[in-house]
Amino acid sequence: MPRIFSGVQPTGNLHLGNYLGAIRNWVRLQRDYECLYCVVDLHAITVEQDPAELTKATREVAASLLAAGIDPARSIVFNQTQVAGHAELAWLLNCIARVGWLNRMTQFKEKAGKNRVNASVGLYVYPVLMAADILLYKATHVPVGEDQKQHLELCRDIAQAFNSQFGVDFFPLTEPLILGEATRVMSLRDGAKKMSKSDVSDYSRINLTDPPDTIAQKIRKAKTDPNPLPDTVAELERRPEADNLVTIYAALADRDRQSVLAEYAGAQFSTFKERLTEVAVATLSPITAEMRRLLADPVYVDGVLRHGTARARSLAEPVLREAQKIVGLLRT
Ligand code: TYM
């Protein structure tokens, strides 16, 4: 039975990269898969968080998922802390994963920066917790943006090493699902940088909470080059900012980049940006409005998380027990 797991960190506002790279695909996949969508608060604390902000952001991110179209009657929505199995399985997998494998993780290198010895141990083993999230439910598919690909390869290595160390065929080799035109949305200020919650400039990203005039302003100020839009995708190659805006338009309009260029070839970016604003506002406004409505009803959102927790626990429990038996921690 195919099963999907994916997660998002409650560290500030969700942005267009999260939406186009991941969450919109999560919504679509609900039709054909059993899905678990998790607000990964344990991942968030691998870097310092303000406790009050973290609690608030967990509810807000859950509300964003619902507002974007995750249906809690169909999919399981919960936060990681509530299912203790994530941390318990992570420990077993920490004893399987090798230091050499973690040393290759590019996201750790980026996040830890130059002062690596001062990074938390949690940040270092973060990808192992991610593997535990997925394997705790024996998920077969994981929809993510491009930036998580290396972590999912590690998850397969860990599953394989566990199976072979104990001579079992227990954990699945999970497949990443990296779908759509916008698998890596870039900053609006710098085409070489990923759109990210942690960028100091709010002009680098479009947040799901931005009102239409803010979206318009951010797109108007987005960096571009002086040339008009080209005819072919190949000509976007050395124009990262132009490529990013065309990619965002294509993803929002559910088209491919070539068909967008066929329509706008020769147009100036000032014109194209106006059209891009229209499609961005048309897509995001209903989500923003629904988010506002849900945040005014925290009892409902908390109820969804509670219900999701109960369902997630009942799936996780037998897998964790079985893993503990395989390792020899529990009597069979
Ligand atoms: P996080 O919270 O950074 O991002 C959530 C999802 O959004 C995608 N994403 C992007 N996609 C395209 N362009 C961008 N600029 C962009 N920025 C973010 C991410 O790829 C992700 O799919 N480690 C994960 C959370 C996690 C997880 C898991 C995911 C924890 N456990 C298990 C899958 C399975 C993270 O930090 O995502």
Side-chain angles (χ1 to χ4, degrees):
M1 163 78 165
R3 183 181 281 166
I4 287 214
F5 181 96
S6 202
V8 57
Q9 295 195 57
T11 44
N13 281 322
L14 296 191
H15 54 67
L16 195 61
N18 299 127
Y19 180 67
L20 295 176
I23 291 154
R24 192 175 62 162
N25 296 325
W26 299 5
V27 173
R28 295 177 175 177
L29 290 161
Q30 295 181 107
R31 284 195 297 253
D32 301 318
Y33 291 87
E34 178 186 18
C35 299
L36 292 111
Y37 296 128
C38 184
V39 182
V40 290
D41 45 14
L42 296 176
H43 278 95
I45 61 166
T46 56
V47 296
E48 209 172 312
Q49 303 291 338
D50 174 333
E53 282 297 318
L54 179 63
T55 315
K56 201 166 120 232
T58 298
R59 185 190 277 150
E60 282 174 6
V61 167
S64 316
L65 298 185
L66 304 177
I70 302 295
D71 174 2
R74 197 184 276 233
S75 300
I76 299 177
V77 182
F78 69 107
N79 66 303
Q80 199 180 19
T81 293
Q82 297 301 325
V83 182
H86 289 254
E88 291 182 65
L89 183 60
W91 183 257
L92 303 194
L93 301 184
N94 274 333
C95 300
I96 299 290
R98 306 287 104 180
V99 169
W101 303 351
L102 290 174
N103 283 345
R104 288 202 292 269
M105 295 295 113
T106 54
Q107 198 167 79
F108 173 75
K109 291 179 198 164
E110 279 162 27
K111 285 197 180 174
K114 289 203 173 65
N115 199 0
R116 199 175 296 179
V117 290
N118 216 22
S120 75
V121 176
L123 188 67
Y124 184 66
V125 295
Y126 173 119
V128 182
L129 178 59
M130 233 179 110
D133 297 339
I134 297 162
L135 298 177
L136 186 59
Y137 305 95
K138 293 192 170 183
T140 52
H141 297 81
V142 181
V144 285
E146 180 77 41
D147 61 333
Q148 297 300 319
K149 200 170 161 202
Q150 193 186 33
H151 291 160
L152 296 187
E153 282 159 11
L154 182 82
C155 176
R156 289 168 70 95
D157 289 344
I158 292 174
Q160 201 151 33
F162 182 97
N163 289 347
S164 95
Q165 181 171 327
F166 297 103
V168 291
D169 181 16
F170 185 64
F171 285 128
L173 301 186
T174 304
E175 296 284 343
L177 294 176
I178 299 174
L179 305 169
E181 278 294 291
T183 56
R184 187 176 176 82
V185 177
M186 308 308 281
S187 155
L188 299 180
R189 308 300 290 165
D190 179 352
K193 263 170 53 186
K194 195 177 68 169
M195 185 178 285
S196 148
K197 292 171 198 161
S198 54
D199 198 310
V200 286
S201 165
D202 197 51
Y203 276 89
S204 69
R205 63 185 160 260
I206 294 174
N207 302 304
L208 295 192
T209 48
D210 284 343
D213 52 341
T214 307
I215 295 176
Q217 204 175 14
K218 286 179 175 177
I219 293 177
R220 216 177 305 122
K221 283 188 187 278
K223 191 175 164 198
T224 40
D225 54 51
N227 300 319
L229 275 88
D231 296 290
T232 62
V233 172
E235 292 167 86
L236 287 172
E237 210 157 88
R238 266 173 294 281
R239 300 176 63 186
E241 285 86 11
D243 190 3
N244 191 37
L245 295 185
V246 172
T247 303
I248 292 173
Y249 184 104
L252 285 167
D254 244 330
R255 292 164 57 176
D256 59 38
R257 287 183 300 166
Q258 190 51 55
S259 96
V260 175
L261 291 180
E263 185 179 344
Y264 289 101
Q268 294 301 321
F269 265 97
S270 51
T271 314
F272 182 70
K273 282 176 167 181
E274 282 170 25
R275 301 288 92 76
L276 176 59
T277 300
E278 284 163 14
V279 59
V281 169
T283 308
L284 299 183
S285 295
I287 299 177
T288 312
E290 179 62 3
M291 229 179 112
R292 216 168 289 127
R293 193 185 71 77
L294 288 167
L295 286 175
D297 191 358
V299 175
Y300 172 75
V301 178
D302 291 351
V304 166
L305 291 173
R306 235 187 349 266
H307 178 60
T309 296
R311 290 167 72 198
R313 277 184 190 155
S314 71
L315 294 177
E317 206 106 302
V319 179
L320 180 66
R321 295 294 158 249
E322 194 55 37
Q324 289 168 329
K325 282 181 194 166
I326 290 170
V327 174
L329 298 168
L330 270 189
R331 224 166 254 124
T332 49

